[in-house]
Amino acid sequence: MTDGESVMEIRYGDPLMATITGTGCLLSSVVAAGLAVSTKKPVEIVRDVLCFYAIAGEQARQETQLPGDFQQAFMNQLYSLTEREVSERISLQEETV
């Protein structure tokens, strides 16, 4: 991801996310919602939303193997994933890099 000045890599997600119709469209909506409610810099908001979204995908993949089931699990993760869970995953990733 880039804002034209810096580049950030989002190291989360699952390939199964690309098999579901509408995943990209939904991501656009989630990013827009984040931009609408947060007071952070836009690049930070987008980074945080991308991490949240991708981690939700990873969590959903742990629950299922098939695309149809994954879609439902992914939606459930988007609903139930907490800021604390995302922060813990990001911190763990930073420690292991």
Side-chain angles (χ1 to χ4, degrees):
M1 164 190 133
T2 184
D3 63 356
E5 295 178 16
S6 59
V7 176
M8 295 170 228
E9 182 178 356
I10 308 299
R11 298 182 180 186
Y12 307 98
D14 189 274
L16 200 54
M17 294 172 77
T19 68
I20 299 172
T21 301
T23 306
C25 298
L26 177 59
L27 175 58
S28 297
S29 298
V30 175
V31 168
L35 289 167
V37 300
S38 182
T39 57
K40 293 181 184 179
K41 293 180 181 179
V43 68
E44 293 172 357
I45 298 166
V46 173
R47 179 204 58 216
D48 292 350
V49 169
L50 291 176
C51 287
F52 165 79
Y53 199 81
I55 290 170
E58 287 182 356
Q59 296 288 98
R61 178 56 180 225
Q62 292 177 5
E63 298 174 20
T64 186
Q65 300 298 313
L66 301 172
D69 296 332
F70 178 81
Q71 184 175 26
Q72 182 177 353
F74 181 60
M75 295 300 284
N76 289 338
Q77 284 297 324
L78 288 175
Y79 176 79
S80 63
L81 191 62
T82 66
E83 184 177 344
R84 181 177 176 192
E85 289 173 306
V86 173
S87 295
E88 288 172 357
R89 288 289 309 281
I90 291 170
S91 296
L92 180 61
Q93 177 73 26
E94 289 173 352
E95 291 175 12
T96 59
V97 171

